[in-house]
Amino acid sequence: QVQLVESGGGLVQPGGSLRLSCVASGFNLDYYVIGWFRQAPGKEREGVSCISSDNGVKYYTDSVKGRFTISRDNAQNTAYLQMDNLKPEDTAVYYCAASRTYYYCTDYKVSESGMDFWGNGALVTVSS
């Protein structure tokens, strides 16, 4: 059974950090690009970051550049999103997704429509 499972969400104060994990099962993550997306209350889902299968391409949306870091450990079939200096506007449900097609993660964009598999999401709440 193909599955992506996110973990690591929670409540954190502004300026704090969280690390989201995305564990894949039922398929080999080595050949997939990984995307992180988020959906804030009342807003559309947006692409936050992505990483290519060989780590050669990493994308970040402008609002998280310098604060978030995407990475992957293919041996563990896991991807990560390290989130530092969190702000209240980062509050959202965060989803990881995977695509077998390399061009859905580029230096300037991650394509939601190109993702093949999705996790169920992890809630991140940034509040004092």
Side-chain angles (χ1 to χ4, degrees), residues 4-54:
L4 289 171
V5 179
E6 302 96 337
S7 62
L11 173 64
V12 64
Q13 293 187 341
S17 297
L18 285 173
R19 187 176 80 156
L20 300 181
S21 299
C22 172
V23 179
S25 59
F27 69 105
N28 190 340
L29 207 53
D30 288 21
Y31 306 107
Y32 286 76
V33 302
I34 301 297
W36 284 96
F37 300 81
R38 67 184 180 187
Q39 187 167 21
K43 295 188 177 181
E44 292 187 353
R45 189 157 57 187
E46 66 167 338
V48 176
S49 181
C50 69
I51 185 169
S52 61
S53 59
D54 64 354

Side-chain angles (χ1 to χ4, degrees), residues 7-101:
S7 62
L11 173 64
V12 64
Q13 293 187 341
S17 297
L18 285 173
R19 187 176 80 156
L20 300 181
S21 299
C22 172
V23 179
S25 59
F27 69 105
N28 190 340
L29 207 53
D30 288 21
Y31 306 107
Y32 286 76
V33 302
I34 301 297
W36 284 96
F37 300 81
R38 67 184 180 187
Q39 187 167 21
K43 295 188 177 181
E44 292 187 353
R45 189 157 57 187
E46 66 167 338
V48 176
S49 181
C50 69
I51 185 169
S52 61
S53 59
D54 64 354
N55 291 316
V57 175
K58 293 181 183 179
Y59 161 81
Y60 300 96
T61 193
D62 286 346
S63 62
V64 308
K65 282 180 182 176
R67 300 188 298 121
F68 289 13
T69 304
I70 192 169
S71 62
R72 63 192 298 158
D73 183 345
N74 287 344
Q76 299 295 323
N77 231 28
T78 301
Y80 303 96
L81 187 68
Q82 176 68 38
M83 305 184 295
D84 298 317
N85 190 21
L86 283 160
K87 304 176 179 181
E89 52 264 41
D90 295 317
T91 295
V93 177
Y94 283 73
Y95 300 88
C96 69
S99 174
R100 190 65 174 86
T101 307

